[in-house]
Amino acid sequence: MAAPIAYAARCAYSLVATDLDGTLLRGDDTFSDRSLHALARVAAAGARHLVVTGRPAPRVRPLLDILGGGGLAVCGQGAQLYDAGSDRLLWSVTLDRELAETALGKIEAEVGEVYVAVDQDGVDGLTLIEPGYLMPHPTLPALRVGARDDLWGEPISKVLLRHPTLSDDELAATARSVVGSLATVTMSGPGTVELQPCGVTKATGLALAAEHLGLRPRDTIAFGDMPNDIPMFDWAGHGVAMANAHPELKAVADEVTTSNEDDGVAVVLERLFP
C-alpha cells in the first residue's frame, strides 16, 4: 500500500472522486475552464482527484491527458483500475462471455430483441457494436461488427444494451429481475444499460484505488449523476449529485449541486478548497 498522502489541515477531503459523463464533462465532452481551475485548487491543497467512470480505460486516456496525464482512474464501472502514468491496468476483471450470452438470452426472453455492444478488456481494448446499436456518445470510437457472435472474440469488461422502445429504467428493471447472479446490471447514462461482472461496481474500484493511495471512505467526496454512482456514494464520506442527476441518485445524495453544464463540481470544490 502506498503511504498516506499528506495534505493541509484546511482541506475538507483528501480524495475527490468524480464521474465523467453528465458530471465533470459537459454535454460536448469537454471540461470547462472553471472545472479545471477548481481541480487545480484540489491539487494545490495536496488532495487527490480520481476519475471514476463507466468508460473503459482506452476511452478515458485522452481525457486524463487534459487533466494532467498521470495518476489512477477507475474505469469500466469499477472493473478496471488504470494507471495513466504507466499506461497499464493495475487490476481488472472480465465478464465471462458465456454468462453474458446467457444473461442476454434471459433479457430478450422478457423484452424481445435488444441491441448490444461490448467493451473489450485491456488498455487497447475496442468498443464493438452489433448491427442496430447506436452509440449514446457519438464522439466515442466504436467498431461495428457483422453479427452478435463477433462480439465475443476477446475478453470483455462489460456489455451495453439498448432497446428500441423501452426506457432505460424499464430495461434496467427487467434485466435486474431476470439476470440474478449472472452479472451486475447498471444504468450509467441516457441509452446506457450495462452488464458487468457480478459484484463489481464503482465502489469496488474506488475502494481499491483508495487503498492504493492510503486513503479512507471518510476522506472521500464523490460526484455523480446516475444510478451507477449509488454504490460510490454509499462508500464515500460525502456524495454530491448533479442537478441533472437521476432521481434515484438524488434520493441518496448528501447534497445536490448545479448541473454539469453549470459547473456543479466546481461550485462545490470552490467552497471546500478556497
Side-chain angles (χ1 to χ4, degrees), residues 36-120:
L36 294 175
H37 291 156
L39 292 174
R41 290 190 187 194
V42 171
R48 296 293 292 264
H49 171 229
L50 183 69
V51 165
V52 185
T53 178
R55 295 191 184 201
R59 307 290 86 80
V60 176
R61 186 165 46 208
L63 298 172
L64 295 178
D65 289 341
I66 299 171
L67 294 173
L72 302 179
V74 176
C75 305
Q77 304 293 8
Q80 300 173 328
L81 180 57
Y82 175 59
D83 182 350
S86 61
D87 190 30
R88 66 189 180 99
L89 294 177
L90 301 183
W91 179 85
S92 69
V93 59
T94 57
L95 176 60
D96 183 272
R97 285 163 278 181
E98 290 187 4
L99 292 182
E101 289 189 278
T102 300
L104 285 173
K106 289 179 174 291
I107 294 168
E108 291 188 318
E110 294 293 323
V111 302
E113 182 181 18
V114 297
Y115 300 122
V116 179
V118 300
D119 284 334
Q120 294 178 334

Side-chain angles (χ1 to χ4, degrees), residues 11 26 29 33 44 50 67 71 91-92 110 115-116 153 159 170 184 187-189 191 195 230 249 258 261 268:
C11 295
R26 296 180 293 192
D29 276 4
D33 288 341
L50 183 69
L67 294 173
W91 179 85
S92 69
E110 294 293 323
Y115 300 122
V116 179
V159 174
E170 291 169 329
T184 295
M187 181 168 52
S188 60
L195 306 178
I230 291 175
L249 186 68
T258 56
E261 299 292 347
V268 175

Side-chain angles (χ1 to χ4, degrees), residues 133-174:
Y133 187 90
L134 297 177
M135 287 291 290
H137 294 282
T139 61
L140 296 181
L143 178 64
R144 191 171 298 279
V145 298
R148 182 172 297 181
D149 287 346
D150 298 328
L151 299 175
W152 318 118
E154 299 290 339
I156 60 173
S157 59
K158 65 179 179 179
V159 174
L160 301 89
L161 310 176
R162 302 195 76 169
H163 192 275
T165 58
L166 292 180
S167 69
D168 297 330
D169 289 289
E170 291 169 329
L171 179 58
T174 300

